[in-house]
């Protein structure tokens, strides 16, 4: 019986649909992770600081990724299961809280749609098997990191470090690259940005990026191998520079306001993961 379920799931018409639906549901959970993980980290730091000062830990409601239930930030209305269906509920409620009619950000359904679409795409790209599973895990992690970094300029270790180990684990069986390329990729990814950081700091006396960026590039190196690192850095810095200049020109950002680099690294990593080989061909023609 179980084998026939697995055979049905492996059907090339069924697998992407299942992965897409799963992606929609996980996208809904990623919205919670994006919102709560930075809050949880901040509370953790406050408790640690209080402990170091010999004070009592500040009392506040404990939050985790699963409890308490999601609530409307404006009125505290607990969101029911029916109001929590990915995309559908947001459309049905026309982007407003059912109790107080405060606007619910369009980013929630967009994160759900993005997660669903990219999960389905990975299923089509790789077909049924471990490589699709790994690709979907990578996509979920990169989406969470992108939005957390965008909101807070942090890339939590709670995501970057397991992502690195998972990359090495999948490549133990040469899923995407051979193991030595993955191990060298993890080390070279970290070192490359570490060198840029210290070089920049010695010359300008400023910090150009955070340690989270090194860990993210190390994780991408573990998944894609060291060979793709130049492409990832080239893509992310080109797009990052264009967006950065635009933001400064449009004067929405002062030169001193940190612009998170993680979203560019994550996007460049995702593009290189799926189309790196084709892009590398063009880039060899260019140079
Ligand atoms: Zn409300």
């Amino acid at each position: 019986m179980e084998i026939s379920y697995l055979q049905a799931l492996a059907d090339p018409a069924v697998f992407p649909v299942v992965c897409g639906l799963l992606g929609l549901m996980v996208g809904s959970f990623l919205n919670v992770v994006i919102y709560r993980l930075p809050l949880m980290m901040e509370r953790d730091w406050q408790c640690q600081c209080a402990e170091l000062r010999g004070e009592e830990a500040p009392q506040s409601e404990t939050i985790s990724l699963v409890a308490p239930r999601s609530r409307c930030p404006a009125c505290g209305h607990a969101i029911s299961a029916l109001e929590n269906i990915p995309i559908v509920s947001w459309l049905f409620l026309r982007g407003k809280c059912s109790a107080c009619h405060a606007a619910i950000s369009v980013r929630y359904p967009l994160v759900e749609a993005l997660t669903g679409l990219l999960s389905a795409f990975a299923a089509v790209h790789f077909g049924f098997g471990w490589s699709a599973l790994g690709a979907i895990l990578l996509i979920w992690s990169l989406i969470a990191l992108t939005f957390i970094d965008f909101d807070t300029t942090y890339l939590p270790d709670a995501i970057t470090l397991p992502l690195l180990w998972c990359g090495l684990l999948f490549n133990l069986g040469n899923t995407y690259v051979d193991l030595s390329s993955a191990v060298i990729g993890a080390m070279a990814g970290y070192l490359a940005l570490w060198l840029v950081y210290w070089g920049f700091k010695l010359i300008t006396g400023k910090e150009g990026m955070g340690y989270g960026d090194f860990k993210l590039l190390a994780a991408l190196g573990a998944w894609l191998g060291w060979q793709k690192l130049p492409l990832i850095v080239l893509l992310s810095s080109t797009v990052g520079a264009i967006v950065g200049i635009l933001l400064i020109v449009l004067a929405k950002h002062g030169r001193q306001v940190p612009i998170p680099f993680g979203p560019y690294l994550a996007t460049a990593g995702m593009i290189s993961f799926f189309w790196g080989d084709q892009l590398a061909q063009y880039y060899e023609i260019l140079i």
Side-chain angles (χ1 to χ4, degrees):
M1 198 58 189
E2 271 178 34
I3 294 167
S4 64
Y5 275 131
L6 215 57
Q7 277 169 346
L9 186 64
D11 188 305
V14 175
F15 186 53
V17 176
V18 171
C19 291
L21 289 174
L22 181 69
L24 281 178
M25 287 188 279
V26 171
S28 178
F29 176 67
L30 291 183
N31 277 321
V32 178
V33 173
I34 292 163
Y35 181 70
R36 288 193 187 173
L37 192 58
L39 283 180
M40 287 159 58
M41 286 162 60
E42 205 172 292
R43 289 199 178 173
D44 205 33
W45 293 330
Q46 282 168 352
C47 286
Q48 285 175 9
C49 289
E51 206 172 296
L52 283 174
R53 288 194 301 258
E55 295 165 7
E56 288 253 324
Q59 291 297 320
S60 50
E61 188 193 22
T62 42
I63 50 163
S64 73
L65 294 180
V66 286
R69 273 180 67 172
S70 298
R71 280 188 298 235
C72 166
C75 72
H77 163 70
I79 293 164
S80 68
L82 209 60
E83 288 166 347
N84 214 358
I85 304 165
I87 304 175
V88 177
S89 295
W90 189 89
L91 290 175
F92 189 74
L93 294 167
R94 296 201 193 101
K96 290 188 184 97
C97 168
S98 67
C100 72
H101 304 287
I104 306 167
S105 169
V106 70
R107 206 175 86 176
Y108 294 105
L110 285 181
V111 166
E112 290 160 356
L114 183 71
T115 313
L117 283 174
L118 287 175
S119 304
F121 173 74
V124 173
H125 188 88
F126 287 106
F128 181 75
W130 288 110
S131 39
L133 181 79
I136 289 172
L137 279 179
L138 177 66
I139 288 167
W140 293 348
S141 310
L142 291 179
I143 291 175
L145 287 172
T146 296
F147 287 95
I148 292 174
D149 197 23
F150 184 79
D151 288 347
T152 66
T153 72
Y154 288 120
L155 290 166
D157 284 354
I159 303 177
T160 51
L161 298 184
L163 188 63
L164 195 159
W165 306 129
C166 281
L168 296 178
L169 182 71
F170 273 94
N171 285 327
L172 259 183
N174 300 350
T175 308
Y176 310 104
V177 288
D178 59 281
L179 185 61
S180 56
S181 297
V183 173
I184 296 169
M187 298 193 314
Y190 192 92
L191 273 178
L193 291 189
W194 185 87
L195 285 173
V196 172
Y197 172 89
W198 281 104
F200 190 78
K201 199 168 176 179
L202 287 176
I203 295 167
T204 65
K206 286 181 215 157
E207 297 190 357
M209 60 178 90
Y211 276 71
D213 296 316
F214 318 165
K215 293 171 197 163
L216 175 55
L217 192 60
L220 291 172
W223 283 83
L224 284 77
W226 62 269
Q227 297 88 340
K228 297 271 167 58
L229 290 174
L231 180 66
I232 298 172
V233 172
L234 189 74
L235 276 176
S236 55
S237 40
T238 310
V239 181
I242 295 170
V243 175
I245 290 167
L246 277 178
L247 285 177
I248 290 169
V249 170
L250 297 173
K252 290 204 172 164
H253 259 275
R255 249 167 257 247
Q256 302 302 325
V257 179
I259 298 168
F261 192 46
Y264 306 113
L265 273 180
T267 311
M270 197 114 71
I271 293 170
S272 309
F273 182 71
F274 286 110
W275 299 286
D277 293 328
Q278 287 97 310
L279 281 171
Q281 283 172 3
Y282 291 120
Y283 143 113
E284 265 167 35
I285 295 166
L286 286 176
I287 50 177

